[in-house]
Amino acid sequence: MKKTLRILSILILIAILALTFASCGASEKSNTETPDAEATSEKSNTETPDTEAKKDIVPEVDENTLGGIMWAAFTQACKDNATPLDIATAISQNEAIQFMPMVMEIEPGLLAGFDNFEVTGFKSGATFAPMISSIAFVSYVFELEEGANIDEFVNTLKSNCNPNWNICVQAEQTVVGSQNNMVFFVMCPLSNEG
């Protein structure tokens, strides 16, 4: 059943991509630099009471932007024993999401928003994105193994993402951060308006 659902989800994604290509035509590929990669910084959080201090990567993002709202939803959804699928599902239900989201588990390999770069190095993951839309929005939650180099993983995501992966439109912001061994990544518009 799970395998059938995964195959069905993949077929739906392929159909969506085909419709997008047909309706929008080809466009020039833009620079693969993330628009606000320079605005994102890493800070360490050393306030972990009972265990050794863990380093969280907290992006500097305006809380009033869609990316800021998604980051806040991620930090609220990260609870003990929450899986990437649980977290992605919780974020996708945020009232700021004004499209019908498709949430599914992912495996290492080619992922939307990373062109021909294979994203690897994570234990498990989930994604949510518009089911059918020309909105430049894609989001991932990655679970890394305990002791994994989170800084390296986050920097790899930042340097290999392409905000212009969606044929018709370009993402206006990229937000990447972590909490414990969970990494959140989103490319999206600044807002849902216009």
Side-chain angles (χ1 to χ4, degrees):
M1 175 78 175
K2 199 173 192 181
K3 189 173 185 177
T4 303
L5 184 58
R6 185 175 287 171
I7 291 171
L8 182 58
S9 296
I10 290 170
L11 290 174
I12 290 171
L13 281 174
I14 291 170
I16 292 168
L17 287 173
L19 288 172
T20 302
F21 283 120
S23 65
C24 299
S27 68
E28 290 183 32
K29 184 175 177 179
S30 73
N31 186 339
T32 59
E33 276 193 307
T34 305
D36 46 15
E38 293 176 10
T40 303
S41 71
E42 299 165 9
K43 298 177 183 177
S44 73
N45 179 0
T46 56
E47 298 176 17
T48 308
D50 298 335
T51 60
E52 67 181 48
K54 293 191 178 200
K55 183 178 179 189
D56 291 340
I57 299 171
V58 180
E60 287 185 14
V61 58
D62 183 341
E63 64 187 26
N64 296 315
T65 63
L66 185 56
I69 293 167
M70 296 296 92
W71 170 252
F74 165 76
T75 60
Q76 289 177 353
C78 281
K79 296 183 168 92
D80 291 336
N81 301 319
T83 67
L85 188 60
D86 296 335
I87 296 168
T89 300
I91 299 169
S92 73
Q93 294 171 355
N94 187 288
E95 64 185 21
I97 300 297
Q98 296 180 2
F99 53 78
M100 182 182 291
M102 180 166 56
V103 182
M104 59 189 244
E105 292 180 308
I106 57 169
E107 295 181 4
L110 296 173
L111 300 177
F114 292 93
D115 295 335
N116 292 323
F117 178 78
E118 291 194 21
V119 179
T120 60
F122 60 95
K123 177 178 169 182
S124 62
T127 183
F128 76 94
M131 191 170 280
I132 298 177
S133 181
S134 62
I135 300 170
F137 184 105
V138 66
S139 180
Y140 297 100
V141 178
F142 301 99
E143 179 182 17
L144 276 55
E145 295 284 351
E146 287 296 325
N149 188 333
I150 295 174
D151 288 331
E152 183 178 313
F153 186 79
V154 165
N155 288 330
T156 298
L157 294 177
K158 286 180 189 177
S159 62
N160 289 288
C161 66
N162 178 4
N164 197 36
W165 89 99
N166 195 331
I167 302 299
C168 302
V169 292
Q170 180 174 346
E172 296 172 303
Q173 75 180 149
T174 300
V175 178
V176 189
S178 70
Q179 188 168 3
N180 297 320
N181 66 329
M182 294 290 184
V183 174
F184 177 69
F185 175 93
V186 64
M187 286 192 291
C188 60
L190 289 172
S191 72
N192 285 319
E193 298 174 10

